[in-house]
Amino acid sequence: MRNLFLVLVLSFAVAGCKGDPSKPEYWEKAIGGAKSKKDKLRKLDDLRQLKALDKSFLPMLHKRMAEEKAPDAKSKIALILGELKDPSSIDALTDAIDYTAAEGDSKAMNKEIAVALGNIGDARAAGTLLKCLNLKDNYTIIAAVDGLGSMKAKEAVEPLIKFARDENTEPFLSKKAIQALGEIGDPKAADALVDMMFKERRGVSFYVESSYALYQIGDSVSPLLLPVLEGSDKERFKWAEKNGILAPALTAKAAQVLGDLHEPKAE
């Protein structure tokens, strides 16, 4: 009887290991045949660690992304797709976003999808990331902002300026928007960044992020800063007074950025 039991155990073990683990078909069966959500998530983690994981797995992963119902399983797949960084995954990721997400798992899924799209870095993902800026989850918004910055999406400049300036926006999110504007490097953001360099909100200064973003944009910001240094930008000084900002702070900070830019006219 004991020998028969051992034979049965070994038979089940062999049956469970059928197929080649280096092939997508093996994992399609393994993930699809998982007995529980916990088991499925474990198998997705195992797949992510697979040395043989490459772009040949993408069709299977795209299919699973479309068929999966559990947001946490979709999160795992999005993580894998983001690491494979193939533009063919953009549609599968975009279609999986839940724009009505109200629960933690769905919000976490949206965040992982936004991160994956940013990692892929293809310009075709910019439209989806822009839509993510309207979601009610700051973690997803931050991932979308980071992605738009890294892909230098010029169409994101105006929405990011809004995030930077908005008094009701969390200061950390405004900082991320400012950093993304610096990465994009569009001179259209310069005026807003000059203001944010002097601005404080809830005791938080945006000088470090704004000054570096201006430096990233480059010489084209000098015409905005030179009048501040000279004291001739009456509108900017009037705005500063209205916002409780001391005039010497404008002069000193403008001088610092102009120095970083090696602007000869500032001498």
Side-chain angles (χ1 to χ4, degrees):
M1 181 65 71
R2 185 171 179 273
N3 289 338
L4 177 60
F5 176 76
L6 288 172
V7 169
L8 288 171
V9 169
L10 288 171
S11 298
F12 281 119
V14 171
C17 294
K18 276 186 177 179
D20 184 350
S22 68
K23 301 296 182 184
E25 295 78 15
Y26 173 92
W27 292 95
E28 172 67 22
K29 288 181 181 179
I31 297 166
K35 302 301 183 184
S36 65
K37 186 171 77 170
K38 183 178 180 180
D39 185 35
K40 181 177 289 186
L41 295 178
R42 181 180 60 78
K43 285 181 166 63
L44 286 167
D45 283 334
D46 291 342
L47 173 59
R48 186 182 169 214
Q49 301 301 321
L50 185 70
K51 289 184 179 180
L53 182 63
D54 59 20
K55 293 180 181 181
S56 68
F57 284 73
L58 289 173
M60 181 271 290
L61 289 167
H62 296 163
K63 181 172 178 287
R64 292 241 57 90
M65 181 64 102
E67 293 178 354
E68 288 295 341
K69 302 299 182 186
D72 42 4
K74 286 179 178 282
S75 292
K76 298 279 189 183
I77 298 170
L79 186 61
I80 296 170
L81 293 176
E83 291 172 346
L84 289 172
K85 299 182 181 182
D86 193 276
S88 67
S89 299
I90 290 173
D91 289 342
L93 289 164
T94 297
D95 291 343
I97 294 176
D98 181 0
Y99 290 102
T100 64
E103 297 180 355
D105 286 347
S106 294
K107 289 180 178 180
M109 176 193 72
N110 285 341
K111 189 265 288 184
E112 289 297 348
I113 291 173
V115 169
L117 290 171
N119 287 341
I120 291 169
D122 190 282
R124 292 185 297 119
T128 300
L129 291 177
L130 282 169
K131 289 182 182 178
C132 287
L133 297 181
N134 297 315
L135 294 174
K136 301 298 183 183
D137 176 58
N138 280 350
Y139 293 106
T140 304
I141 293 172
I142 288 169
V145 168
D146 286 343
L148 290 164
S150 65
M151 66 177 62
K152 301 186 185 303
K154 289 189 180 296
E155 60 266 49
V157 170
E158 290 301 328
L160 291 174
I161 288 174
K162 182 179 177 182
F163 270 115
R165 287 188 179 276
D166 190 351
E167 292 291 327
N168 295 316
T169 298
E170 288 292 329
F172 181 72
L173 183 51
S174 289
K175 284 175 177 278
K176 298 297 287 185
I178 290 166
Q179 289 170 337
L181 288 169
E183 290 184 29
I184 294 168
D186 193 322
K188 287 190 296 186
D191 190 63
L193 291 171
V194 171
D195 280 352
M196 293 307 296
M197 189 166 63
F198 310 124
K199 186 74 174 169
E200 288 190 9
R201 187 187 308 150
R202 303 176 205 171
V204 176
S205 169
F206 303 97
Y207 170 69
V208 172
E209 294 79 14
S210 300
S211 60
Y212 185 65
L214 289 166
Y215 174 77
Q216 288 175 296
I217 291 172
D219 294 343
S220 62
V221 307
S222 293
L224 285 174
L225 293 171
L226 285 167
V228 177
L229 181 63
E230 296 165 350
S232 61
D233 187 346
K234 303 301 182 186
E235 288 300 317
R236 188 90 59 187
F237 280 90
K238 189 182 297 183
W239 168 86
E241 184 179 4
K242 182 179 178 182
N243 285 273
I245 302 167
L246 298 175
L250 272 69
T251 306
K253 291 178 179 180
Q256 180 65 56
V257 177
L258 288 165
D260 291 340
L261 291 169
H262 303 289
E263 173 55 63
K265 294 179 181 177
E267 292 180 8

